[in-house]
Every structure is written in structure tokens, then in C-alpha cells.
Amino acid sequence: MFQTETHISCLFPEILAIIFSYLDVKDKGRVAQVCAAWRDASYHKSVWRGVEAKLHLRRANPSLFPSLQTRGIKKVQILSLRRSLSYVIQGMPQIESLNLCGCFNLTDNGLGHAFVQDIPSLRVLNLSLCKQITDSSLGRIAQYLKNLEVLELGGCSNITNTGLLLIAWGLHRLKSLNLRSCRHVSDVGIGHLSGMTRSAAEGCLTLEKLTLQDCQKLTDLSLKHVSKGLNKLKVLNLSFCGGISDAGMIHLSQMTQLCSLNLRSCDNISDTGIMHLAMGSLRLSGLDVSFCDKIGDQSLAYIAQGLYQLKSLSLCSCHISDDGINRMVRQMHELKTLNIGQCVRITDKGLELIADHLTQLTGIDLYGCTKITKRGLERITQLPCLKVLNLGLWQMTESERVR
């Protein structure tokens, strides 16, 4: 009776492709170098599904883009750009995602030479920290990238309201827009995005995520525009926007689709603003008011009354105490993440209240809470679902250390 030895080389290419699909990107490339059979199996498109190629474009490589296309790769991150961007666009006509974050030498001229005709496949474009990009490039993008859904412009400090008018004119399928630190953007530009100037631009009314972090020229009028025009918005980041105030929260309080609101370091937001949010029709799952030094215990009472469905709440460095915790915890049955780092008035009593009532917590930040001791910490660590505990600056004396 004959015995046949089985070996991995006997496997069908389809089986090898399934195995290779579980490898990380570097190992996918290594198995392609083992033998011809493995190379052929590793080039199956299922192996590379969803992979983003990370490229240094330094010199001509005629086999690069044919190789990427053979493997079905449609997402590219350019780590360094020493060749023309048009080299990428021509080489990958079906590209879906292009990440140029940090390509400081990219100019309007270079982008203009690359985008000269419709690219219907491109859905995601990241130009973050491409500091030479101006409104001129946004005109090209609005003209030729009509199907764009995600546009990252964080740190593009030369973008102005005119650029936002161009986006509002051409990008009607946009779902996510990042304008972090676009210092020239003002209420007028947000009005364009929100469809307030219909005679010139329809607006980006399909937006679901809008990041306006550190846009210092924005006022409450921007929030009025957003609440009127962007009724599909789910995520709004207003962190470090010092020009917005409690009055603006009245507008936001009517946005029924809004799930996440970031007001971190918004100096003019106080307990009154939280009251407005709590009295509206919001169904927030995430709220960040960290480093808002006018937020205190009264805000926690308002949150318990009207924002009790929150799953994540960040209050780092706010002026809250055990009394505020006591007002809040009994209603917050869905809370999973609580960040109260640097809330220096919180003591063991507050931690005991959290441990008794917030039984669904999976993470808590106690960084810099200098008044807690071993007793409070032991209560917190008994939470049944807790996975993440950040203590940071908190210290026990030698006699208090957990044995």
C-alpha cells in the first residue's frame, strides 16, 4: 500500500490565496518571492483586498503600477513625492483612495497637471499638511473628482472661503470634510458648505462628518448655518474654536442626527451651553468638553437629565467634583467611556459612586486625579467590564500600594 506525502506545495492556488490573505502586507510580499506558484497565488486580488500601498516615488519604475493593478490595489499613500503626481494618476486609472498627507512639496501646479480629466473612481483624497495647496487646487478637485466622499484638508492653511465655495459647487457626494487649522475659513465659508448661497453652489448637504478644529474665525453663525443645512451630520468637531459660545449650542441642540460633538478647549462654553444641548432633541453618543474651564457640576446634572444616552463622555480638567458625579451617575446606564483626568476635586467618594452605578464602563481616565487613594482605585478595578484604566500622574504612597 502506497503512502503519499502531503505538502503545502500541493495545495490549489485558490487555497494558497486564502491562506496568504491573512498575512500582513510585508509577509504577502515575501511569499511572492518563494517560487512561481506562490507568486501567482499571492497576486490573486482577494489577497490584497483593502490594502493601501505605501510608496516612495523617487525614480521611474515601469513595473510598479502594472504590478499594483494586477493585485487589484486601488488605495495608495505617497510617502515622498519626487516625481510628478500625474505619474500616479496615469498609472492607476481606477484609483479609489489617494493619500498625500505630508507631501510638503506638492503645489497647485503639480496637482493641476495630475487632475486634467474626470476620475470617477476616486472616493478618498487626503491633502493634510500639503501647505502649498490653495483654492486653485480645490477648483480642480471640484471639477474632476465629482464622486469624492472624503476630503482631508487639515493644516492646509492657505484655503479660504472661496475654496469652500468651489467644494460646495462641485462635490455633492462628500460625506467627510476635514478643515482643521484652516485659519482663513469663516462663517461665510461654512454658509457655502451648508447651502446658504444656493445661487452660487448647492452645498455639501450629504456631509456626515465635519472637522472644524482650530478654525478661529468661526462664530455661532456657523453653527446656525450647519444646523439649517447639514441635517445629515453625525460627527462635528469644534475643538479649539474659541469664537463659538453657549448661544451656538441652541442651534446644535436641534440636530437630531448628530451622534458625536467635540467642544474640547472651547473657552466660551459653560454650564449654560450644556443646558441648551440637554434641552434639545439631540441623541448624542459621544461628548467631549475637556479643558472647558467654565464647565462644572451643574453640567453633569443637565447631562443626566437630557443626554443620558451618552456612551462616551470626556470632562478632563473641568471644574467638577464628587457632588457632580453624584448628580449624574444614576441616569447614565449606557456610559462606557468616562474621561475625568486632571479633575483634581474628584476623591474616592466620586470613584465609589462611579463603581456603584456605571457598571457598563469599559474605560476610565483618571490621569492627574491626585486626591484618589488605594481605596477608591480598588473599587474602580472591580467594575465588571473595565478594560482600560489610565492613572498617569496618580501615585500611591508606599503603605497604600496594592499588594
Side-chain angles (χ1 to χ4, degrees):
M1 193 169 180
F2 294 101
Q3 276 190 328
T4 57
E5 290 188 7
T6 57
H7 188 268
I8 192 170
S9 62
C10 302
L11 294 175
F12 290 114
E14 294 82 1
I15 303 299
L16 285 173
I18 293 172
I19 295 171
F20 295 162
S21 69
Y22 289 98
L23 301 176
D24 62 32
V25 174
K26 285 186 177 179
D27 287 337
K28 291 179 198 287
R30 290 183 181 125
V31 297
Q33 300 173 35
V34 172
C35 63
W38 281 32
R39 181 198 62 208
D40 293 344
S42 70
Y43 269 48
H44 195 279
K45 291 182 179 180
S46 65
V47 175
W48 299 90
R49 187 175 292 121
V51 168
E52 180 182 63
K54 301 180 187 296
L55 307 176
H56 290 281
L57 294 184
R58 292 170 177 161
R59 56 182 180 272
N61 182 353
S63 64
L64 174 60
F65 294 118
S67 172
L68 294 178
Q69 290 192 67
T70 300
R71 285 176 278 178
I73 292 177
K74 297 180 180 180
K75 299 179 181 180
V76 174
Q77 179 180 6
I78 307 300
L79 300 176
S80 59
L81 185 64
R82 297 185 185 177
R83 293 183 60 80
S84 169
L85 180 59
S86 58
Y87 177 65
V88 180
I89 301 303
Q90 292 169 9
M92 299 189 69
Q94 299 302 314
I95 190 169
E96 294 179 357
S97 174
L98 177 59
N99 186 346
L100 294 157
C101 178
C103 290
F104 306 112
N105 57 336
L106 180 65
T107 64
D108 288 335
N109 194 39
L111 191 144
H113 283 130
F115 297 158
V116 295
Q117 61 185 21
D118 291 343
I119 311 175
S121 61
L122 195 60
R123 299 288 194 275
V124 178
L125 178 61
N126 189 338
L127 295 174
S128 296
L129 300 176
C130 295
K131 293 182 177 295
Q132 296 188 64
I133 293 300
T134 72
D135 296 337
S136 175
S137 287
L138 297 187
R140 287 275 182 172
I141 290 167
Q143 183 176 2
Y144 294 122
L145 309 184
K146 298 288 189 183
N147 292 329
L148 209 61
E149 295 179 0
V150 177
L151 179 57
E152 299 282 335
L153 297 171
C156 294
S157 52
N158 289 313
I159 299 301
T160 74
N161 293 328
T162 301
L164 299 194
L165 177 61
L166 292 166
I167 290 174
W169 165 78
L171 303 182
H172 298 151
R173 299 187 179 184
L174 204 61
K175 293 182 179 178
S176 177
L177 178 61
N178 186 342
L179 297 170
R180 175 181 55 82
S181 299
C182 291
R183 60 188 179 186
H184 298 300
V185 168
S186 71
D187 300 332
V188 173
I190 304 305
H192 294 326
L193 293 177
S194 304
M196 297 297 110
T197 49
R198 287 294 179 91
S199 59
E202 182 179 326
C204 299
L205 308 185
T206 58
L207 272 177
E208 296 179 1
K209 181 178 180 180
L210 180 59
T211 299
L212 299 172
Q213 177 180 336
D214 194 31
C215 291
Q216 294 295 330
K217 289 188 175 182
L218 301 187
T219 73
D220 294 333
L221 181 57
S222 285
L223 305 189
K224 183 177 181 180
H225 292 329
V226 168
S227 67
K228 281 189 172 183
L230 303 181
N231 53 28
K232 294 184 179 180
L233 205 64
K234 296 179 181 178
V235 178
L236 180 59
N237 187 339
L238 296 165
S239 56
F240 299 92
C241 289
I244 65 171
S245 72
D246 292 334
M249 300 304 102
I250 298 174
H251 302 301
L252 297 186
S253 70
Q254 304 306 314
M255 299 188 69
T256 56
Q257 299 300 309
L258 198 63
C259 298
S260 176
L261 178 61
N262 190 335
L263 298 169
R264 190 182 185 91
S265 294
C266 291
D267 296 334
N268 292 312
I269 300 298
S270 72
D271 293 336
T272 302
I274 303 303
M275 177 190 69
H276 292 322
L277 293 176
M279 290 177 64
S281 49
L282 286 173
R283 291 293 178 266
L284 289 180
S285 60
L287 176 63
D288 189 344
V289 290
S290 298
F291 302 98
C292 294
D293 58 10
K294 296 177 182 176
I295 297 288
D297 288 339
Q298 187 59 51
S299 284
L300 300 190
Y302 292 138
I303 287 171
Q305 291 169 15
L307 299 173
Y308 47 82
Q309 70 286 344
L310 283 171
K311 291 185 170 69
S312 175
L313 176 60
S314 294
L315 297 152
C316 296
S317 198
C318 291
H319 294 294
I320 60 171
S321 68
D322 297 338
D323 182 54
I325 298 293
N326 186 41
R327 296 194 204 184
M328 178 185 71
V329 289
R330 289 169 181 81
Q331 275 66 45
M332 307 296 288
H333 304 299
E334 298 183 39
L335 200 64
K336 295 185 180 298
T337 302
L338 178 62
N339 298 321
I340 51 174
Q342 300 179 62
C343 294
V344 294
R345 297 165 65 194
I346 300 295
T347 72
D348 290 343
K349 179 183 177 183
L351 298 192
E352 289 168 7
L353 288 164
I354 291 169
D356 286 342
H357 298 284
L358 301 182
T359 55
Q360 299 302 308
L361 274 188
T362 59
I364 185 168
D365 177 12
L366 300 172
Y367 175 92
C369 293
T370 52
K371 289 188 178 179
I372 62 175
T373 71
K374 173 185 174 183
R375 181 167 64 96
L377 180 61
E378 285 180 337
R379 290 297 305 275
I380 284 294
T381 54
Q382 291 170 8
L383 281 165
C385 303
L386 194 68
K387 296 178 180 177
V388 178
L389 171 61
N390 182 21
L391 295 175
L393 295 176
W394 182 85
Q395 294 180 343
M396 287 183 286
T397 63
E398 191 64 35
S399 61
E400 292 176 328
R401 291 194 185 280
V402 180
R403 302 291 180 183

